[in-house]
Amino acid sequence: MNWNDVLGLFNYWMVIILMMMGLYIVVSRGNLVKKIVGLNIFQTSVFLLYISMGKVSGGTAPILTGKPEVFSNPLPHVLILTAIVVGIATTALGLALVVRIKQSYDTIEEDEIQKADEEMEFGKPSGDSKP
Amino acid sequence: MISAHLPILQIVVPLLAAPISVFFRRAAIVWYLTLIVSIITLAISITLLAQTLDQGVISYALGNWAAPFGIEYRIDAVNAFVLVIISAIGTIVLPYARVSVANEIEPHNQSLFYTCYLLCFTGLLGMVITGDAFNIFVFLEISSLSTYVLVALGAKQDRRALTASYNYLVMGTIGATFFVIGVGLLYMMTGTLNMADLAQKIPAIGSNRTVVVAFAFIVTGLGLKLAMFPLHLWLPNAYAYAPSAVTVFLAATATKAAAYLLLRFLFTVFGADFPILGPTLTYLLMPLAIIAMFAASTVAIFQVDIKRMLAYSSLGQLGYMVLGISFASVAGLTATIIHLFNHALMKGALFMALGAIVLRLGTASIDSMRGLGRQMPWTMAAFVVGGLSLIGVPLTVGFISKWYLIVAALEAGYWPIAVAIVASSLLAVIYIWRVVEAAYFEEAPEGSNVEEAPLSMLIPTWTLIGANVYFGIDASLTTSVAGQAARILLKVGS
Amino acid sequence: MLFLGLTAFAILRLRALFAVVMLSSVYSLVSAALLVHLDAVDVAFTEAAVGAGISTVLMLATLALTTRHEKEPTHTSLLPLVVVFLTGIALVYGTLDMPRFGDPSAPIHHHVAPKYINDTGSEIGMPNIVTAILASYRGFDTLGEVTVIFTAGIGVLLLIGAFIREPDGNTIQTMEHHLVLRLVTKLLIGPILLFALYVQFHGDYGPGGGFQAGVIFAAAFIIYALVFGLETARRVVPGRVIRIMLAAGVLLYGGVGVISLFFGQNYLNYSVLGSTAVAGQHLGILLVEFGVGMTVAAVMVSTYYVFSGQIPPISDEEW
């Protein structure tokens, strides 16, 4: 591992740190909306990882111009476009669920929801609990 | 001419049925459409299985772009078998679902429910049939997203369905993202996304830390979807609070598809010779499987809600499947693959019986089931036979699975594990007995007058029970297919 | 990259959710800029439109329907920290054998990628290689992607209720009385729609394509609905139309593939659609991209309708 290696890998390490911050937000915070924001950050950082993999030094965007050129790899771009769509789809559904949970429980903090559920469970058998 | 395109029709038929169903508002029409589509899908999957058993690997290049430049569908005995499982369950749930859904879901949501069902169906089939790693991710997400919605629709009965769905969404997305990270790392080191191509290129790379980390991420991501201990936290709540028909469908199909993917990645893509594979199986998967088998069954005993009880029981059964994988032998993999089929039959039937109880009683708690043996004789009888199958009594499919698993354990020299398999089955006796005791040996509450379940629910339930017994007595078909599949995975000759 | 890190850290610590959402929008925008620097122009375009645009709109709508503050964390989060740390270490460990950043001799740049770069001109005949791969070589993945967004659209409809029912009069107050907003919106909507069409059809030659176009198209309607009220927007584009567009896009895409089957070729082989293979590819890609755009626009608009249909009227004073 010499200095060149470190420089070459530095980009990936930064992205990994970003990914971990996103993941940390998801698992450690109890607010449901914030969890989704964390999930978004996690996913966006994964996108950056993929795209960084595809970059070629001295290359340019993969659009043919008629002149011979060095291009960066187009395949990661395609994969990430799809992944972005999947991400927004997940976010939309997640947020819809948060809205419903708020309507049902009147809170979007995980621990308060858990408490509400436990109070309900140790009282009557599950199966017919109306808010 | 059609037969050449069966692989893609397997997916396109349910896929296009979903948007078509949006044009119809009446739930009854959409239900018919879904039923017809699933019957067609089932026919296609059975044909594909027959074809691949006969001819070997079927390959279909989408867009006529040859792999690995285009996406390839690649069918062999392993995934053809899983396709049949998924489409069979998908079809048989529908007659059952008609009444169950009408009871448990708001009227204005019912037609879109079936649209979502079709999407989930498509996603599961698409995950299994494809030979391209990123394509797996796309269809995995189709099935996952529709599952989150389907589970959440149980909120009319119990609002905890919403939190169950949310937690499943968060965990499932993390799992899928881990999977994508793993695939990305593999792509980075090999330059290809096609699984057969990856299988060739990975050994050539030799010992490489990136590939090892890719392996770890893929196994973890799939493990989350598979509800492998300790990544199982989403499953009990999701199964317990989802609408009954959804629980039947999911319990019998979703984890099977994830198990198939694990098999495929472990043995086909990475291969049994991959340096870290052996140790992972023996020192990680095997202990986790055994913990799952015991812990889950123990927790199941203490459940008040029978849906949750069966959910924990499913976790234990998944432990058996992972155990079979960890032996990495023909016997072990045969046991796992057979159990994919058998467990679908068992849990499908059990959850169906339970759904009928929910329909009549409005709840699935064990207290309310007192004296039910007399009032709903057919339903409870189905539950009893399903329970016997779960325990592994001879003449049921459960016995076949356990038998192969024990044989695999003994072959590998792990006789303590064989004992453990038997011991955990005894735990199942306890929780099944609790239900039997309540239903048959206690008096029904005063003044309760419960009807038997409607025929539209009883017939599918007993069809699955009949299959349980039939394939338990004559398992030659399933064992031969599973055996062939196991050999293909381990790349040994027949 | 450092800026991204700072933003992420701020999001972690802040408890005012409105600020969190804004920062997440900033995060997406900065990522998009970074992506341009990494030569991923299509991706940057999409990330900006989706992450900084739609995502933010939906999160703000959610905030309006829920709370604006996060609770104080009551317990220390040691286990998550450990898990995340271990995962991070594992990833860093994995990078040690990776090809270095930008290295043109990395395996990823051989094998499959050169074929795309070399053959797109002759086989598909369009300059934007990313669109060529997206819509043709790996077109089936994109069909899956359209299905994913379709699923989300259906899911939101199921979860928050079919908006096809008539609103009961409780909708967010319009901003019509703000002269500047009204005027600017009217001026902007036309160009936005035109731009959406441009992006849709020019996606073969430059960055763009169905997905980005759909999002921009939806943005125009969302602005209109924000300023002139949901009722008015619904009169212009009623729920029924949206629902039909939702399904029609997927059917268009899938249908093109089915047509290939009728010609005896494999699914989604566009060559049969025209007199020459390249003409067929052009037509096929045009059609499927349009299908993508239609469904995406419909999903975005319907999701917005559904979310904002739930928001109770908020007067100017309460802000």
Side-chain angles (χ1 to χ4, degrees):
Chain A
M1 278 283 294
N2 51 32
W3 185 242
N4 262 336
D5 286 337
V6 172
L7 278 183
L9 293 178
F10 176 71
N11 261 290
Y12 298 135
W13 292 345
M14 277 306 302
V15 174
I16 291 175
I17 293 179
L18 288 171
M19 279 196 323
M20 290 304 110
M21 291 184 82
L23 189 58
Y24 182 69
I25 296 179
V26 178
V27 295
S28 70
R29 290 293 182 257
N31 183 299
L32 298 185
V33 174
K34 212 170 196 198
K35 275 180 180 310
I36 300 216
V37 174
L39 209 54
N40 264 347
I41 294 182
F42 181 46
Q43 288 180 311
T44 311
S45 315
V46 175
F47 304 158
L48 285 174
L49 179 70
Y50 258 77
I51 301 293
S52 318
M53 283 198 278
K55 164 90 179 152
V56 175
S57 303
T60 156
I63 299 180
L64 296 171
T65 53
K67 308 178 292 202
E69 283 191 63
V70 178
F71 293 117
S72 283
N73 195 329
L75 187 57
H77 302 184
V78 176
L79 303 179
I80 295 306
L81 274 175
T82 307
I84 293 180
V85 177
V86 171
I88 183 68
T90 313
T91 305
L93 279 183
L95 291 175
L97 279 172
V98 173
V99 168
R100 280 293 297 274
I101 290 180
K102 170 73 178 174
Q103 287 174 346
S104 262
Y105 285 87
D106 202 35
T107 171
I108 55 170
E109 294 287 337
E110 205 175 26
D111 39 6
E112 289 176 15
I113 295 173
Q114 249 177 339
K115 218 164 43 147
D117 281 339
E118 278 165 25
E119 281 170 16
M120 232 177 11
E121 178 140 0
F122 300 116
K124 47 180 173 171
S126 63
D128 53 346
S129 40
K130 298 284 188 260
Chain B
M1 201 247 339
I2 289 191
S3 69
H5 296 291
L6 279 182
I8 188 57
L9 286 175
Q10 173 87 94
I11 304 298
V12 166
V13 169
L15 178 63
L16 290 183
I20 291 178
S21 72
V22 170
F23 291 116
F24 303 106
R25 298 286 183 81
R26 298 230 340 241
I29 300 181
V30 180
W31 179 84
Y32 270 116
L33 175 66
T34 314
L35 183 65
I36 296 173
V37 164
S38 33
I39 293 178
I40 297 177
T41 313
L42 179 61
I44 296 180
S45 65
I46 295 180
T47 315
L48 282 174
L49 180 61
Q51 270 184 352
T52 184
L53 285 176
D54 204 30
Q55 305 167 358
V57 174
I58 303 177
S59 167
Y60 188 89
L62 286 148
N64 280 117
W65 302 114
F69 306 109
I71 297 174
E72 179 195 19
Y73 268 7
R74 217 177 151 78
I75 305 173
D76 57 19
V78 190
N79 55 358
F81 192 41
V82 179
L83 285 175
V84 171
I85 298 175
I86 297 176
S87 43
I89 298 288
T91 310
I92 202 153
V93 169
L94 281 170
Y96 176 87
R98 192 166 190 186
V99 176
S100 176
V101 167
N103 180 45
E104 292 185 22
I105 296 184
E106 281 103 340
H108 61 85
N109 274 343
Q110 282 173 25
S111 65
L112 285 181
F113 170 86
Y114 290 109
T115 308
C116 232
Y117 182 85
L118 279 169
L119 288 167
C120 192
F121 196 35
T122 309
L124 289 170
L125 292 168
M127 264 162 72
V128 167
I129 199 174
T130 182
D132 182 284
F134 196 75
N135 204 223
I136 290 180
F137 170 66
V138 177
F139 280 85
L140 176 69
E141 285 299 276
I142 294 179
S143 75
S144 300
L145 287 178
S146 42
T147 306
Y148 307 147
V149 178
L150 288 172
V151 168
L153 285 174
K156 178 175 172 245
Q157 306 288 101
D158 188 333
R159 68 179 185 179
R160 283 172 291 184
L162 296 172
T163 33
S165 174
Y166 180 85
N167 284 327
Y168 186 18
L169 184 143
V170 171
M171 289 188 80
T173 308
I174 295 179
T177 312
F178 272 28
F179 178 77
V180 159
I181 294 176
V183 169
L185 290 175
L186 277 183
Y187 174 64
M188 194 179 193
M189 300 312 297
T190 59
T192 178
L193 290 169
N194 184 290
M195 295 200 290
D197 208 16
L198 280 170
Q200 284 180 334
K201 290 201 145 52
I202 288 178
I205 295 183
S207 137
N208 179 300
R209 285 172 281 194
T210 312
V211 180
V212 167
V213 170
F215 175 75
F217 270 86
I218 291 181
V219 169
T220 311
L222 290 177
L224 237 155
K225 285 286 168 182
L226 181 56
M228 198 166 68
F229 184 89
L231 303 167
H232 62 284
L233 295 166
W234 57 268
L235 192 140
N237 284 341
Y239 280 16
Y241 304 127
S244 306
V246 172
T247 312
V248 175
F249 183 59
L250 288 181
T253 57
T255 39
K256 316 290 171 294
Y260 156 77
L261 284 179
L262 189 63
L263 281 170
R264 186 59 86 186
F265 269 91
L266 282 177
F267 295 106
T268 306
V269 176
F270 285 99
D273 298 324
F274 189 68
I276 204 177
L277 191 92
T280 309
L281 291 181
T282 325
Y283 297 115
L284 188 64
L285 289 189
M286 203 185 287
L288 288 179
I290 298 179
I291 297 177
M293 278 156 50
F294 279 103
S297 302
T298 311
V299 174
I301 297 178
F302 296 104
Q303 294 302 310
V304 165
D305 180 346
I306 305 302
K307 259 187 162 183
R308 291 198 94 190
M309 183 189 92
L310 288 180
Y312 277 103
S313 154
S314 287
L315 286 178
Q317 300 290 318
L318 280 161
Y320 291 129
M321 290 183 221
V322 176
L323 188 63
I325 293 180
S326 68
F327 292 138
S329 61
V330 175
L333 289 189
T334 309
T336 301
I337 297 174
I338 278 203
H339 204 47
L340 292 181
F341 182 72
N342 295 344
H343 183 244
L345 292 179
M346 286 191 259
K347 274 293 155 48
L350 281 170
F351 274 114
M352 275 193 180
L354 205 56
I357 295 176
V358 168
L359 177 76
R360 290 304 188 213
L361 290 178
T363 171
S365 79
I366 198 170
D367 290 327
S368 52
M369 282 169 65
R370 285 178 295 162
L372 213 52
R374 273 168 292 279
Q375 295 178 320
M376 295 179 79
W378 286 99
T379 309
M380 284 317 298
F383 193 90
V384 170
V385 178
L388 291 176
S389 195
L390 203 61
I391 296 170
V393 166
L395 292 189
T396 64
V397 287
F399 177 70
I400 306 286
S401 305
K402 296 270 168 68
W403 174 260
Y404 272 90
L405 203 56
I406 294 178
V407 164
L410 291 175
E411 238 180 45
Y414 291 113
W415 66 263
I417 295 190
V419 173
I421 296 173
V422 177
S424 53
S425 308
L426 292 177
L427 286 175
V429 176
I430 303 181
Y431 58 74
I432 295 292
W433 174 253
R434 283 184 66 214
V435 179
V436 171
E437 186 186 10
Y440 288 102
F441 294 105
E442 294 190 19
E443 288 302 316
E446 287 292 316
S448 67
N449 188 4
V450 182
E451 273 178 37
E452 178 56 273
L455 264 184
S456 65
M457 287 172 109
L458 277 181
I459 295 183
T461 315
W462 275 94
T463 312
L464 282 181
I465 294 286
N468 256 289
V469 174
Y470 175 75
F471 287 107
I473 300 179
D474 175 18
S476 53
L477 183 63
T478 49
T479 47
S480 73
V481 173
Q484 197 166 338
R487 270 179 235 107
I488 291 178
L489 283 173
L490 288 170
K491 300 179 187 155
V492 300
S494 328
Chain C
M1 280 256 202
L2 267 172
F3 191 68
L4 283 176
L6 282 173
T7 316
F9 189 69
I11 292 181
L12 174 66
R13 303 291 297 177
L14 278 174
R15 286 171 43 225
L17 289 179
F18 186 70
V20 166
V21 170
M22 285 300 125
L23 280 178
S24 113
S25 168
V26 167
Y27 189 89
S28 292
L29 212 50
V30 175
S31 299
L34 190 57
L35 288 169
V36 173
H37 183 66
L38 292 172
D39 296 339
V41 287
D42 273 89
V43 182
F45 196 159
T46 313
E47 175 62 35
V50 167
I54 296 293
S55 216
T56 313
V57 169
L58 289 180
M59 286 193 209
L60 286 177
T62 310
L63 282 188
L65 287 168
T66 56
T67 72
R68 294 178 65 179
H69 286 276
E70 182 191 9
K71 236 177 62 170
E72 181 83 49
T74 49
H75 52 271
T76 52
S77 35
L78 192 56
L79 180 61
L81 199 56
V82 168
V83 167
V84 169
F85 189 67
L86 287 177
T87 315
I89 294 290
L91 276 174
V92 171
Y93 175 73
T95 62
L96 294 175
D97 275 336
M98 268 188 205
R100 304 295 172 246
F101 179 69
D103 182 3
S105 63
I108 199 179
H109 301 302
H110 302 272
H111 196 33
V112 176
K115 144 109 183 160
Y116 292 140
I117 296 179
N118 292 330
D119 290 348
T120 299
S122 52
E123 284 182 344
I124 315 248
M126 61 176 50
N128 189 341
I129 307 180
V130 173
T131 306
I133 303 178
L134 188 75
S136 182
Y137 288 113
R138 291 189 68 95
F140 190 65
D141 257 354
T142 312
L143 177 58
E145 169 193 336
V146 176
T147 312
V148 167
I149 200 74
F150 174 73
T151 309
I154 298 288
V156 171
L157 283 177
L158 272 172
L159 286 175
I160 308 198
F163 57 78
I164 302 174
R165 289 174 298 165
E166 285 314 298
D168 54 356
N170 266 351
T171 51
I172 194 167
Q173 186 160 13
T174 72
M175 298 185 225
E176 269 180 291
H177 49 281
H178 291 288
L179 178 66
V180 175
L181 281 177
R182 204 168 77 225
L183 205 56
V184 171
T185 307
K186 284 188 185 174
L187 283 175
L188 275 181
I189 288 188
I192 294 179
L193 288 174
L194 260 171
F195 187 60
L197 283 178
Y198 170 77
V199 167
Q200 169 82 55
F201 294 110
H202 199 70
D204 304 350
Y205 297 91
F211 189 69
Q212 296 92 326
V215 171
I216 297 174
F217 200 77
F221 283 101
I222 293 180
I223 295 185
Y224 184 74
L226 273 172
V227 174
F228 290 97
L230 195 57
E231 316 265 294
T232 333
R234 277 195 192 169
R235 259 181 271 136
V236 175
V237 187
R240 235 175 328 118
V241 171
I242 297 285
R243 194 159 144 149
I244 293 177
M245 270 175 68
L246 197 67
V250 182
L251 282 174
L252 178 59
Y253 202 130
V256 168
V258 173
I259 294 181
S260 308
L261 289 181
F262 280 122
F263 279 93
Q265 293 299 322
N266 279 359
Y267 192 72
L268 285 180
N269 183 347
Y270 306 138
S271 331
V272 298
L273 296 170
S275 44
T276 66
V278 174
Q281 293 288 340
H282 275 254
L283 182 61
I285 293 183
L286 195 76
L287 288 173
V288 303
E289 287 274 20
F290 190 65
V292 172
M294 211 166 30
T295 296
V296 168
V299 168
M300 297 301 165
V301 174
S302 96
T303 305
Y304 176 74
Y305 275 5
V306 169
F307 268 81
S308 74
Q310 302 277 314
I311 300 179
I314 304 176
S315 69
D316 281 336
E317 291 72 41
E318 281 175 44
W319 279 111

